[in-house]
Amino acid sequence: MTPITRRSALAALGGGTAVGIAQTAAPDFEVRYWLDKDGEAIEFADLHFLSERRGLALGAWNVKGRVSGCMVSTNDAGANWTVEKLPEIPLSAFFLNDSLGWMVTMKGVWRSDEGGRSWRKVKGMQGAIAVHFTDERRGFLVGVPKLFLETADGGRTWTKVPGGQAVTTREETTAFTTVSLIRDSLGRDIGLVTGYSSPPPRRLRFGPDLPPWLDPKGSRRRFEQPNVLVVIESVDGGKSWKPSTSSIFGKVSRVAVGARGSALAIVKFGDTFDYPGEVFRIDLSGGKSTRVFRDKTRLPLDVEILADGSATLATVEPATAIRGIPIPGKLFFYRSEGAPFDRWEPTTADYRAVAQGACLAADPSGTVWTATSESMILAARPTNISPPR
């Protein structure tokens, strides 16, 4: 059975009209769930639809200052939702099929054999960010510091992957954040791990390095420092891995891998950079990367490549001119018909859709779902998404 894939985990939203589209009719992305209670909020971190009817969103549930893990699930395509408390705060999840899945939390790895209806802890650890399994027993895990592990027993025991150890960056400054394995259009079993190594913060002679929203004048005197981009690739299904590094401004925050030989990667920049972020297309057959989206007023949050080869991109318009202020902004969505992903058409969203982060998922019918950092889940059915012109 083809794995239901997702990238690792981490990322926006608010009212009005999407660029170039008058929101006079019902929006393409409509609200399907919203926790609108005083003193309560859910910051969703990951989202999966295991069938057309069964979906689950994982995140942190804040009830009057007390934070715990939670799962919000539906068994009827979003008509009704159930909120359940989890024993640990989840960061991401991966499902091999509609029953078998693994969840990464701040304290370890959990497994479900019932589509997320129950979970059991299989390994306690810290620093894990995301996992990807190729079958019931074999999987890979990435995290911090410089964490790249593999398992052959379903996640109970893990060993270091030599390809990760071959990366020459400093361990304490290196994070591996995404991991994906998929068969490409040439029939190769491609594996892709991305991460970064950040330089130590600079001490400025004119004062402390405060966030831009606390020091708007001082932030203008700062310059974006380059990071080391880490890419670890496999062309034999994860049997061997080859690392490479390059200098890059920003950090890779999301990667979506499609079955047709392409991947889309989101790079987020610092608060003082001209652009908040960009989207790159990566040719898995040749390794070439090409920028396919950037906008000075849009911060890319997540991207999903659908089974038909099209892609959906979720972005946020920063709420203020100074990025980094923790205030939700308006969500904007875009759709590309497919590779080379060089043309993106805006789609509309409910005017209440505001957040600082969002994650995307598509169900088998092609319905695109998004869960936000502001307690909201939205959906756009294929018939509701305006086709590219």
Side-chain angles (χ1 to χ4, degrees):
M1 183 173 292
T2 301
I4 300 171
T5 60
R6 247 210 83 67
R7 290 99 19 228
S8 49
L10 313 161
L13 325 171
T17 301
V19 173
I21 296 181
Q23 195 164 314
T24 57
D28 296 318
F29 279 87
E30 299 177 329
V31 176
R32 296 297 184 86
Y33 172 83
W34 189 14
L35 178 62
D36 189 19
K37 292 183 180 180
D38 288 341
E40 290 191 37
I42 299 176
E43 183 176 351
F44 290 114
D46 205 356
L47 174 67
H48 294 267
F49 264 79
L50 314 184
S51 68
E52 292 185 18
R53 299 181 64 81
R54 171 71 175 168
L56 49 92
L58 306 167
W61 189 8
N62 189 322
V63 180
K64 296 181 179 179
R66 289 193 170 189
V67 180
S68 61
C70 79
M71 180 178 71
V72 179
S73 61
T74 180
N75 292 312
D76 53 16
N80 297 280
W81 298 84
T82 300
V83 182
E84 304 170 62
K85 188 175 181 180
L86 295 175
E88 295 177 2
I89 297 176
L91 300 176
S92 65
F94 173 85
F95 282 87
L96 189 65
N97 50 49
D98 58 4
S99 299
L100 181 56
W102 290 262
M103 175 176 64
V104 176
T105 73
M106 297 179 70
K107 296 181 179 180
V109 179
W110 296 66
R111 171 172 166 153
S112 174
D113 296 293
E114 301 174 316
R117 292 175 177 85
S118 65
W119 296 92
R120 73 178 190 277
K121 195 169 189 176
V122 294
K123 181 65 175 180
M125 67 168 67
Q126 293 185 338
I129 293 176
V131 295
H132 188 113
F133 279 76
T134 58
D135 56 40
E136 184 177 353
R137 299 181 62 82
R138 184 166 177 263
F140 297 88
L141 178 149
V142 293
V144 293
K146 207 175 183 178
L147 199 62
F148 186 19
L149 308 174
E150 61 182 328
T151 181
D153 57 12
R156 290 190 294 273
T157 61
W158 297 85
T159 58
K160 293 181 179 180
V161 176
Q165 297 300 299
V167 177
T168 58
T169 56
R170 295 169 57 186
E171 179 172 320
E172 62 271 22
T173 64
T174 302
F176 300 142
T177 56
T178 76
V179 54
S180 300
L181 291 97
I182 199 167
R183 177 161 291 183
D184 71 2
S185 56
L186 298 179
R188 299 183 305 170
D189 293 319
I190 297 293
L192 183 66
V193 170
T194 64
Y196 62 87
S197 180
S198 298
R202 295 183 301 175
R203 294 190 176 276
L204 306 180
R205 58 181 175 81
F206 43 80
D209 193 7
L210 298 174
W213 55 279
L214 285 178
D215 183 23
K217 291 184 179 180
S219 67
R220 299 193 192 104
R221 299 192 294 264
R222 302 177 198 163
F223 297 94
E224 183 85 0
Q225 289 183 275
N227 299 295
V228 176
L229 169 66
V230 179
V231 177
I232 312 174
E233 296 177 275
S234 173
V235 294
D236 55 13
K239 296 177 183 178
S240 61
W241 296 84
K242 180 180 179 181
S244 63
T245 59
S246 59
S247 180
I248 184 177
F249 287 100
K251 300 174 181 177
V252 175
S253 62
R254 301 277 193 175
V255 174
V257 179
R260 303 186 182 186
S262 290
L264 292 172
I266 292 177
V267 177
K268 294 177 65 176
F269 299 119
D271 296 329
T272 60
F273 209 72
D274 287 344
Y275 290 87
E278 298 175 341
V279 181
F280 288 84
R281 178 199 175 199
I282 303 172
D283 185 350
L284 297 178
S285 300
K288 181 181 178 181
S289 63
T290 306
R291 184 175 63 229
V292 295
F293 179 92
R294 72 171 177 177
D295 187 316
K296 287 188 175 182
T297 65
R298 301 287 186 267
L299 170 63
L301 300 174
D302 198 7
V303 63
E304 182 82 2
I305 300 177
L306 281 64
D308 65 0
S310 65
T312 297
L313 173 66
T315 73
V316 65
E317 181 179 58
T320 66
I322 301 174
R323 300 197 302 270
I325 296 180
I327 298 176
K330 167 66 181 172
L331 259 189
F332 288 90
F333 295 92
Y334 296 84
R335 180 177 181 264
S336 177
E337 193 171 32
F341 302 109
D342 57 355
R343 188 172 182 180
W344 296 84
E345 295 288 338
T347 65
T348 59
D350 188 286
Y351 72 94
R352 296 167 294 180
V354 297
Q356 299 177 68
C359 47
L360 291 167
D363 70 26
S365 74
T367 299
V368 181
W369 298 79
T370 185
T372 79
S373 63
E374 306 301 312
S375 313
M376 186 178 287
I377 298 174
L378 304 95
R381 295 191 181 278
T383 55
N384 288 345
I385 298 179
S386 305
R389 296 185 297 275

mmCIF file of all heavy atoms in Angstrom, residues 24 36 182 263:
data_model
loop_
_atom_site.group_PDB
_atom_site.id
_atom_site.type_symbol
_atom_site.label_atom_id
_atom_site.label_comp_id
_atom_site.label_asym_id
_atom_site.label_seq_id
_atom_site.Cartn_x
_atom_site.Cartn_y
_atom_site.Cartn_z
ATOM 1 N N THR A 24 -16.989 37.229 -2.976
ATOM 2 C CA THR A 24 -18.418 37.476 -2.942
ATOM 3 C C THR A 24 -19.195 36.184 -2.756
ATOM 4 O O THR A 24 -20.296 36.179 -2.240
ATOM 5 C CB THR A 24 -18.868 38.161 -4.250
ATOM 6 O OG1 THR A 24 -18.489 37.341 -5.350
ATOM 7 C CG2 THR A 24 -18.202 39.518 -4.385
ATOM 8 N N ASP A 36 -13.604 27.859 19.731
ATOM 9 C CA ASP A 36 -13.824 29.276 20.028
ATOM 10 C C ASP A 36 -14.358 29.407 21.445
ATOM 11 O O ASP A 36 -15.517 29.752 21.674
ATOM 12 C CB ASP A 36 -14.798 29.871 19.010
ATOM 13 C CG ASP A 36 -14.905 31.398 19.127
ATOM 14 O OD1 ASP A 36 -13.990 31.996 19.729
ATOM 15 O OD2 ASP A 36 -15.892 31.960 18.635
ATOM 16 N N ILE A 182 10.415 7.952 -1.052
ATOM 17 C CA ILE A 182 9.369 7.726 -2.043
ATOM 18 C C ILE A 182 10.001 7.185 -3.319
ATOM 19 O O ILE A 182 11.195 7.391 -3.572
ATOM 20 C CB ILE A 182 8.595 9.034 -2.327
ATOM 21 C CG1 ILE A 182 7.252 8.732 -2.983
ATOM 22 C CG2 ILE A 182 9.431 10.000 -3.152
ATOM 23 C CD1 ILE A 182 6.310 9.932 -2.991
ATOM 24 N N ALA A 263 10.068 17.569 -5.673
ATOM 25 C CA ALA A 263 9.824 17.937 -4.281
ATOM 26 C C ALA A 263 9.736 19.453 -4.207
ATOM 27 O O ALA A 263 10.349 20.170 -5.012
ATOM 28 C CB ALA A 263 10.945 17.426 -3.379
#
